Amino acid sequence: ARRKYASDSAEPTDKKLSFNRVNITDLEAEDSKYNKLIKFLREELEKEQTQKFVIFAYFRGTLKYLERRLKTEGISTGLIMGDMGDRKWEVVQEFRQEEGPSVLLSSEVGSEGIDLQHCRFLVNYDLPWNPMRVEQRIGRLDRLNQQADRISIVNFSLKDTIEEEILERLYKRIQIFEE
């Protein structure tokens, strides 16, 4: 099978740009953010096989990437994002079932109007700029009738990136409310 390269789909231009060929398979193997996520999921599922996780990401491409990679790893997933119509509710209902998917991947569409109090893990794979959006995400799990004594919120950010800056600002804003 032919390996895919990031430069394979590049359109020719008049500009003299030089692209190094990047092997997508190698790039995925080195995806430290994903590798931390899969390690976390495996550790928690090893403790309790019926555990449920909601993973929020901002970009559709990220959600589809996570769905593909997690399924390859043998982790069952459901995916909700905009323009799904009633299918969104079917996916949420499947996720609520004990035998349903372990992971619900969601865009911002899942941060409002969905009750997920049967789940105790929320993962912010991408952090939104607005801290109120993070609060809305948390509100999907932190509700009346939450079944767990404690919920866990996991925020992923890469060191020395805008994500790290967003996370630091988020923590500072939360401290303001706590004071």
Side-chain angles (χ1 to χ4, degrees):
R2 183 174 180 267
R3 288 186 151 186
K4 293 189 297 185
Y5 292 91
S7 63
D8 285 351
S9 61
E11 295 290 323
T13 65
D14 294 337
K15 298 177 185 173
K16 293 187 179 198
L17 297 175
S18 174
F19 291 101
N20 292 330
R21 293 185 78 145
V22 176
N23 181 314
I24 299 298
T25 305
D26 292 343
L27 193 61
E28 285 185 359
E30 298 297 320
D31 183 350
S32 60
K33 192 173 181 179
Y34 175 81
N35 290 337
K36 292 279 188 189
L37 173 67
I38 193 66
K39 180 179 184 243
F40 167 73
L41 292 174
R42 283 185 180 143
E43 287 172 357
E44 293 303 326
L45 286 169
E46 192 174 295
K47 292 177 196 171
E48 187 178 336
Q49 204 171 21
T50 59
Q51 201 63 258
K52 300 284 187 168
F53 305 83
V54 178
I55 301 176
F56 281 98
Y58 188 78
F59 298 103
R60 286 174 174 259
T62 303
L63 290 165
K64 289 176 181 178
Y65 167 77
L66 291 173
E67 179 184 42
R68 180 180 55 78
R69 299 254 353 239
L70 290 171
K71 282 183 178 179
T72 300
E73 301 273 357
I75 295 179
S76 57
T77 64
L79 171 63
I80 60 172
M81 49 189 178
D83 299 329
M84 288 184 69
D86 290 339
R87 177 71 183 125
K88 173 178 104 172
W89 297 110
E90 292 171 21
V91 172
V92 170
Q93 278 304 107
E94 290 168 12
F95 177 66
R96 285 185 177 133
Q97 305 304 313
E98 188 172 325
E99 66 281 354
S102 299
V103 172
L104 178 65
L105 297 164
S106 180
S107 68
E108 291 304 312
V109 75
S111 65
E112 294 181 19
I114 298 176
D115 297 332
L116 298 170
Q117 62 264 40
H118 69 287
C119 177
R120 80 174 194 94
F121 286 102
L122 180 137
V123 177
N124 287 307
Y125 196 78
D126 296 333
L127 286 164
W129 289 76
N130 184 340
M132 290 312 296
R133 290 206 185 268
V134 175
E135 186 61 35
Q136 285 176 319
R137 291 175 176 185
I138 294 168
R140 301 308 91 217
L141 278 66
D142 189 19
R143 311 179 73 75
L144 291 175
N145 301 320
Q146 168 52 253
Q147 295 169 8
D149 293 331
R150 190 175 100 179
I151 63 171
S152 297
I153 298 140
V154 179
N155 297 308
F156 278 86
S157 68
L158 296 173
K159 191 170 176 68
D160 299 323
T161 66
I162 191 67
E163 287 179 321
E164 183 180 48
E165 180 68 26
I166 291 170
L167 190 58
E168 286 177 17
R169 288 183 182 195
L170 179 63
Y171 286 142
K172 286 178 185 173
R173 288 185 179 172
I174 289 170
Q175 285 176 343
I176 290 170
F177 292 114
E178 289 175 350
E179 293 173 357

